Amino acid sequence: MTVVAQPAAAAQTSPLPSTITLPSGFQPEGIAIGQKPYAYFGSRVDGDIYRADLRTGAGRIFAEGPGTTSLGMKIDDGRLFVAGGNGGDARVYDLRSGALLKTYQLRPAADGPFINDVIVTRDAAWFTDSRSATLFKLPLGRHGKLPAEAVAVPLTGDLVVVPGATNANGITTTPDGRALIIVQSNTGYLFRVTRSGVTTRIDLGAELVTNGDGLWLRGKTLYAVQNRLNVIAKIELNRKGTAGTVVSRTGDPRFDVPTTIAEYGKRFYLPNARFTTPPTPETTYNAVAVPIP
């Protein structure tokens, strides 16, 4: 396994801006990018969604939040799926208008949920909850029709939830698409998860993905953001996602606790959550672009 320090100047070779300035006090966490050159960011303050043009860096508030957090998000079929953090909800927005299409209350906010991330597969959207041994599923109907309600899928098997810690966080699919992968931030373990919720720890040898946050799959290569370590771990998986090898970790001088990850134009974009910086309404925030390791 090699450690690669990515110089900030390397990202300047692209004509697109390598840094996206976000509103002061915004406290970003999630990012989503679709086929068009626009990035969407969610605020931990009030759940607002901010849209930035990757060609110019200019942006605006795309959708007003509900007053609770917006964390992980994904784009699929002209819609933006958003994990609602401590609000215990999942929200779906129309990507053209910013209109809120539907809200799903996954767990009561009084129970202390932390709906952290989402992946959209061919037939469902799946949400992690970092405070419980549960995935939440939105089964998608014909032509992607949204369901009336979410389905709770209890997690069994190898995953052990530690009370009060950040457990299941980032989520994606296995290379063969037959199962899911989640990262447990507090332990650094990766798990393969069947659609019925059975978890099996992925064999990484002696390696851990401690502080693992957003996940991004390209073929059989899994990229995991290790937020407080300010690196992206590159992991080569087998097709079933049962074992893998950490081949490199890449940092960048501009990383300031990056959380989630999205791809556009052969680059990764990551919002800097700045968890180690006391947040104020004047605190500055941004997202940075790096070449795909």
Side-chain angles (χ1 to χ4, degrees):
M1 188 272 293
T2 58
V3 178
V4 180
Q6 176 64 57
Q12 302 289 346
T13 58
S14 168
L16 301 182
S18 62
T19 301
I20 303 294
T21 300
L22 302 175
S24 295
F26 188 76
Q27 296 186 43
E29 206 277 353
I31 183 174
I33 304 175
Q35 297 298 316
K36 297 181 179 180
Y38 298 100
Y40 298 80
F41 302 90
S43 169
R44 305 192 313 274
V45 178
D46 53 14
D48 281 357
I49 307 296
Y50 183 85
R51 187 179 82 166
D53 189 326
L54 298 178
R55 298 165 297 185
T56 65
R60 63 176 179 83
I61 296 297
F62 168 76
E64 298 287 340
T68 51
T69 53
S70 289
L71 301 183
M73 53 184 66
K74 289 293 186 299
I75 290 171
D76 183 78
D77 195 24
R79 299 172 296 195
L80 181 68
F81 292 76
V82 179
N86 57 12
D89 63 332
R91 303 188 302 277
V92 186
Y93 294 88
D94 184 280
L95 206 58
R96 291 172 296 180
S97 66
L100 179 62
L101 299 176
K102 200 165 182 65
T103 298
Y104 298 89
Q105 194 64 42
L106 306 181
R107 285 183 63 202
D111 288 353
F114 201 71
I115 310 304
N116 206 333
D117 207 355
V118 56
I119 188 67
V120 184
T121 66
R122 180 180 56 82
D123 57 0
W126 297 84
F127 293 81
T128 58
D129 178 10
S130 295
R131 298 289 188 260
S132 74
T134 312
L135 289 181
F136 293 93
K137 176 183 178 181
L138 300 184
L140 301 177
R142 189 175 182 184
H143 304 303
K145 182 180 179 180
L146 295 172
E149 297 180 348
V151 177
V153 180
L155 295 176
T156 61
D158 291 347
L159 176 70
V160 177
V161 170
V162 178
T166 302
N167 292 276
N169 193 336
I171 184 169
T172 189
T173 61
T174 55
D176 64 8
R178 295 187 176 184
L180 304 168
I181 294 174
I182 59 175
V183 61
Q184 187 177 20
S185 297
N186 56 315
T187 63
Y189 298 155
L190 289 173
F191 295 91
R192 183 182 189 273
V193 188
T194 68
R195 283 170 166 75
S196 62
V198 179
T199 66
T200 305
R201 184 176 165 185
I202 297 173
D203 182 7
L204 297 182
E207 292 282 354
L208 297 174
V209 192
T210 308
N211 298 131
D213 202 326
L215 300 179
W216 190 263
L217 186 71
R218 300 181 88 242
K220 293 196 293 184
T221 304
L222 177 69
Y223 293 89
V225 182
Q226 295 181 259
N227 53 34
R228 292 177 184 267
L229 302 184
N230 289 305
V231 294
I232 305 169
K234 180 179 181 180
I235 304 163
E236 297 296 342
L237 296 171
N238 62 18
R239 183 167 175 77
K240 292 184 177 180
T242 58
T245 301
V246 179
V247 295
S248 68
R249 285 187 171 89
T250 301
D252 188 284
R254 298 168 299 153
F255 284 171
D256 193 351
V257 194
T259 44
T260 51
I261 184 169
E263 177 181 346
Y264 187 82
K266 298 182 180 179
R267 300 199 296 179
F268 282 144
Y269 288 80
L270 304 92
N272 280 317
R274 308 195 71 190
F275 290 150
T276 57
T277 301
T280 73
E282 291 75 38
T283 303
T284 58
Y285 293 95
N286 63 21
V288 296
V290 297
I292 296 174

